[in-house]
PDB file of all heavy atoms in Angstrom:
ATOM      1  N   THR A 202      31.298  87.072 213.974  1.00 92.00           N
ATOM      2  CA  THR A 202      32.740  87.345 213.708  1.00 92.00           C
ATOM      3  C   THR A 202      33.304  87.884 215.133  1.00 92.00           C
ATOM      4  O   THR A 202      32.611  88.495 215.853  1.00 92.00           O
ATOM      5  CB  THR A 202      32.923  88.376 212.660  1.00 92.00           C
ATOM      6  OG1 THR A 202      34.353  88.702 212.565  1.00 92.00           O
ATOM      7  CG2 THR A 202      32.173  89.634 212.887  1.00 92.00           C
ATOM      8  N   ASN A 203      34.545  87.567 215.289  1.00 88.00           N
ATOM      9  CA  ASN A 203      35.253  88.013 216.494  1.00 88.00           C
ATOM     10  C   ASN A 203      35.781  89.477 216.358  1.00 88.00           C
ATOM     11  O   ASN A 203      36.275  90.055 217.306  1.00 88.00           O
ATOM     12  CB  ASN A 203      36.452  87.136 216.812  1.00 88.00           C
ATOM     13  CG  ASN A 203      35.994  85.735 217.218  1.00 88.00           C
ATOM     14  OD1 ASN A 203      34.934  85.557 217.892  1.00 88.00           O
ATOM     15  ND2 ASN A 203      36.673  84.692 216.796  1.00 88.00           N
ATOM     16  N   ASP A 204      35.631  90.044 215.152  1.00 87.00           N
ATOM     17  CA  ASP A 204      36.144  91.388 215.000  1.00 87.00           C
ATOM     18  C   ASP A 204      35.209  92.414 215.683  1.00 87.00           C
ATOM     19  O   ASP A 204      34.037  92.140 215.971  1.00 87.00           O
ATOM     20  CB  ASP A 204      36.029  91.761 213.458  1.00 87.00           C
ATOM     21  CG  ASP A 204      37.122  90.956 212.713  1.00 87.00           C
ATOM     22  OD1 ASP A 204      38.209  90.689 213.213  1.00 87.00           O
ATOM     23  OD2 ASP A 204      36.763  90.497 211.549  1.00 87.00           O
ATOM     24  N   SER A 205      35.809  93.533 216.034  1.00 89.00           N
ATOM     25  CA  SER A 205      34.970  94.557 216.732  1.00 89.00           C
ATOM     26  C   SER A 205      33.990  95.236 215.849  1.00 89.00           C
ATOM     27  O   SER A 205      34.134  95.238 214.661  1.00 89.00           O
ATOM     28  CB  SER A 205      35.946  95.643 217.255  1.00 89.00           C
ATOM     29  OG  SER A 205      36.692  96.253 216.188  1.00 89.00           O
ATOM     30  N   LYS A 206      32.956  95.766 216.447  1.00 92.00           N
ATOM     31  CA  LYS A 206      31.851  96.368 215.691  1.00 92.00           C
ATOM     32  C   LYS A 206      32.320  97.700 215.056  1.00 92.00           C
ATOM     33  O   LYS A 206      32.974  98.477 215.674  1.00 92.00           O
ATOM     34  CB  LYS A 206      30.759  96.579 216.658  1.00 92.00           C
ATOM     35  CG  LYS A 206      29.480  97.316 216.000  1.00 92.00           C
ATOM     36  CD  LYS A 206      28.379  97.532 217.036  1.00 92.00           C
ATOM     37  CE  LYS A 206      27.151  98.136 216.440  1.00 92.00           C
ATOM     38  NZ  LYS A 206      26.107  98.386 217.464  1.00 92.00           N
ATOM     39  N   ILE A 207      32.009  97.858 213.746  1.00 95.00           N
ATOM     40  CA  ILE A 207      32.230  99.112 213.075  1.00 95.00           C
ATOM     41  C   ILE A 207      31.205 100.128 213.512  1.00 95.00           C
ATOM     42  O   ILE A 207      30.024  99.849 213.547  1.00 95.00           O
ATOM     43  CB  ILE A 207      32.156  98.927 211.518  1.00 95.00           C
ATOM     44  CG1 ILE A 207      33.281  97.907 211.064  1.00 95.00           C
ATOM     45  CG2 ILE A 207      32.347 100.239 210.815  1.00 95.00           C
ATOM     46  CD1 ILE A 207      33.179  97.565 209.589  1.00 95.00           C
ATOM     47  N   GLN A 252      31.885  91.616 208.963  1.00 97.00           N
ATOM     48  CA  GLN A 252      31.882  92.833 209.843  1.00 97.00           C
ATOM     49  C   GLN A 252      31.258  94.014 209.142  1.00 97.00           C
ATOM     50  O   GLN A 252      30.441  94.755 209.736  1.00 97.00           O
ATOM     51  CB  GLN A 252      33.341  93.148 210.148  1.00 97.00           C
ATOM     52  CG  GLN A 252      33.528  94.209 211.273  1.00 97.00           C
ATOM     53  CD  GLN A 252      35.012  94.415 211.565  1.00 97.00           C
ATOM     54  OE1 GLN A 252      35.885  93.972 210.812  1.00 97.00           O
ATOM     55  NE2 GLN A 252      35.253  95.220 212.544  1.00 97.00           N
TER      56      GLN A 252
END
Side-chain angles (χ1 to χ4, degrees):
T202 175
N203 294 324
D204 293 323
S205 60
K206 180 180 179 182
I207 298 173
Q252 192 181 7

